[in-house]
Amino acid sequence: MNFTDRDRAVRAAVAEGLVGAGEPVVGLLDIAGIRRSAAELRAAFDEFTAPGTPVLHAFAVKAASLVPVLRVLAQEGLGCEVASPGELALARAAGVPVARTVLDSPAKTRAELREALALGIAVNADNPEELARIDALMASAPSDAPLGLRVNPQIGGGSIGAMSTATDTSKFGVGLRDEGAREWVVRAFLDRPWLTRLHAHVGSQGMPMELMTAGVRALYVLAEEINERAGRRQVDTLDIGGGLPVNFSSDAVTPTYREYVAQLHATVPGLLSGRYGLVTEFGRSLLAKHGTVLARVEYAKSAGGRPIAVTHAGAQVATRTVFVPESWPIRVAAYDAEGRPKTGAPVAQDVAGPCCFAGDLVAENRPLPLLESGDHAALLDTGAYYFSTHFAYNSLPRPGVYGYAADPDGTVRFATVRTPQTLEDLTAESGGAHAESLHDLGRQ
Ligand SMILES: *Cc1c(COP(=O)(O)O)cnc(C)c1O
């Protein structure tokens, strides 16, 4: 049998007790893999952009809101795209410089905007009202922060409605095809010499590459139009968002960053010609393939003739997969009690989680070697938006997360990314300090 680094990490995690009776579920991150993806992203843009083109790859923090991961990405030359005060705090805790931080969010408060402008963080305004707030802030305390406007090219949605941000009625950005909107956008720039960036993020998972490049093309054409009308290169940077889809059905990475940038090069050559600086905001495509949720099988049972493995990984770590399984199917790999890949004839079975609702299944009727109590189920490709985006159902604690790397001799080393949440943490987070607070409220 050919062991992958993931197989070795699973075996070592079981041997070291990172997962076991006390900690029945854990998140594992392949740190060498993350570094490799970051390098591939940089290399793809380096290959197709004119020498000297400024390019900032800002990792979308929501995809893996874990400080040590942001730090590794910063080491690899990436910045952060943040969308809340919490995400900004994580980026700062990771030591990501403000010059490598971009703030996008549809609901920035005045205080958030004031702070970002004071720090010099790049901000993309989402809508006319937000731009008016920025006008007021710029009038009272001019800032050198790079400022942009998010637009929605309204080029249509992908295969997952909730992930499609370029439909006619998407909540993000200024809809370019709405009546009068394009002219409004051009005027917004002509009236504000400090507005120098355009931003679009047309969707995540489920967007075909053709639609993504069409969105970027619309952004580029708009920038050219604004600059033409301004008579100068007022728009100097294009933020093209993230959204490269991930293949959840095998270990293959497809599409690759190189394929995407090659397609951008073919459809929007001016984009990479050096006339514009670039910002990207990839999330899922940098991390997904490098994460594994590893959970113990607590019980094996059957119902209606179908075997069910009751594991400790369900909606709390695989929220989207459990609630919208048709859009977010994931692969499950079976490992035995010692963490060795399970062999044996595939048997169609359900892989269930620990949550108290019937739909808490990460895989339904899935052919796998029959899981038994004490075995382990591994949810693959879960490095982005899974264990970093906990859902606190049933007061299930956030699992520990560990980074790993395999030495050439096969030895696996772990480092703590996040310690498991304790029951004390959980109680405190759930109002534990206020147990008596309702005692006299509402009594006759
Ligand atoms: C979520 C998001 C991203 C990242 O999307 P991925 O699909 O994870 O690459 C980038 N930019 C914005 C504005 C986002 O909301």
Side-chain angles (χ1 to χ4, degrees):
M1 180 159 226
N2 241 336
F3 292 104
T4 63
D5 280 358
R6 180 173 62 228
D7 294 336
R8 291 193 186 93
V10 166
R11 181 104 166 89
V14 172
E16 292 190 23
L18 297 182
V19 63
E23 299 294 343
V25 55
V26 71
L28 303 176
L29 281 169
D30 173 357
I31 304 304
I34 293 173
R35 293 187 194 276
R36 212 162 46 236
S37 287
E40 281 164 13
L41 171 61
R42 287 190 14 227
F45 277 84
D46 284 352
E47 180 180 345
F48 289 97
T49 48
T53 306
V55 182
L56 168 64
H57 297 294
F59 173 68
V61 169
K62 70 175 184 282
S65 39
L66 297 164
V67 172
V69 171
L70 305 181
R71 183 88 192 132
V72 161
L73 292 170
Q75 259 187 349
E76 298 300 320
L78 274 61
C80 282
E81 186 259 358
V82 300
S84 70
E87 289 183 357
L88 176 57
L90 300 188
R92 302 205 76 195
V96 175
V98 291
R100 299 194 146 262
T101 305
V102 178
L103 173 64
D104 299 327
S105 137
K108 306 173 201 81
T109 63
R110 278 198 183 83
E112 280 176 73
L113 289 168
R114 191 178 304 115
E115 185 192 11
L117 264 55
L119 290 170
I121 289 173
V123 175
N124 290 312
D126 178 84
N127 60 65
E129 288 192 356
E130 188 184 337
L131 202 52
R133 285 188 180 179
I134 295 176
D135 284 342
L137 290 168
M138 287 296 278
S140 61
S143 162
D144 291 333
L147 299 171
L149 179 68
R150 179 166 183 173
V151 295
N152 169 7
Q154 292 167 315
I155 38 102
S159 63
I160 308 177
M163 297 289 112
S164 299
T165 47
T167 59
D168 280 350
T169 54
S170 158
K171 75 170 182 178
F172 295 105
V174 177
L176 274 185
R177 293 187 187 175
D178 287 0
E179 172 133 26
R182 195 178 182 91
E183 184 56 27
W184 181 88
V185 169
V186 174
R187 284 255 48 107
F189 276 81
L190 299 182
D191 292 344
R192 294 170 181 79
W194 41 262
L195 204 52
T196 56
R197 294 185 168 194
L198 273 170
H199 172 222
H201 167 72
V202 298
S204 290
Q205 194 64 19
M207 289 296 283
M209 227 159 56
E210 295 66 40
L211 221 47
M212 292 177 63
T213 49
V216 175
R217 193 181 149 72
L219 194 70
Y220 171 81
V221 169
L222 176 62
E224 291 284 287
E225 182 181 334
I226 291 168
N227 288 344
E228 170 91 38
R229 298 261 305 266
R232 67 189 183 98
R233 303 210 61 75
Q234 178 174 347
V235 178
D236 60 17
T237 300
L238 296 178
D239 181 336
I240 64 171
L244 196 70
V246 165
N247 164 32
F248 284 96
S249 63
S250 77
D251 277 334
V253 173
T254 172
T256 63
Y257 288 122
R258 191 179 184 282
E259 284 161 351
Y260 180 45
V261 185
Q263 184 141 340
L264 282 174
H265 185 66
T267 30
V268 207
L271 176 78
L272 310 172
S273 65
R275 291 159 62 220
Y276 293 97
L278 298 173
V279 176
T280 74
E281 306 173 340
F282 295 100
R284 183 174 289 104
S285 53
L286 278 161
L287 262 292
K289 289 303 221 198
H290 310 306
T292 304
V293 172
L294 186 62
R296 256 165 55 89
V297 177
E298 195 64 43
Y299 297 107
K301 57 190 278 190
S302 87
R306 187 186 293 177
I308 304 171
V310 181
T311 80
H312 287 276
Q316 91 277 30
V317 290
T319 317
R320 280 176 174 155
T321 294
V322 167
F323 285 108
V324 199
E326 62 285 1
S327 295
W328 301 100
I330 49 174
R331 295 183 291 154
V332 177
Y335 291 90
D336 69 14
E338 271 75 55
R340 290 175 302 229
K342 257 199 117 146
T343 51
V347 177
Q349 57 197 301
D350 287 355
V351 183
C355 299
C356 294
F357 65 97
D360 190 33
L361 304 173
V362 295
E364 219 178 327
N365 221 1
R366 181 77 55 89
L368 288 172
L370 189 64
L371 285 162
E372 297 163 289
S373 111
D375 284 349
H376 296 87
L379 317 188
L380 309 187
D381 309 321
T382 49
Y385 300 98
Y386 281 84
F387 48 76
S388 60
T389 311
H390 189 77
F391 174 47
Y393 198 86
N394 275 144
S395 295
L396 288 162
R398 286 187 286 274
V401 177
Y402 302 90
Y404 68 84
D407 289 335
D409 69 358
T411 317
V412 175
R413 281 186 291 152
F414 290 103
T416 303
V417 172
R418 180 179 78 193
T419 49
Q421 190 177 29
T422 64
L423 296 186
E424 290 72 32
D425 296 339
L426 218 156
T427 307
E429 209 176 79
S430 307
H434 309 287
E436 294 298 330
S437 70
L438 304 180
H439 191 262
D440 294 323
L441 208 61
R443 280 172 122 187
Q444 292 307 319

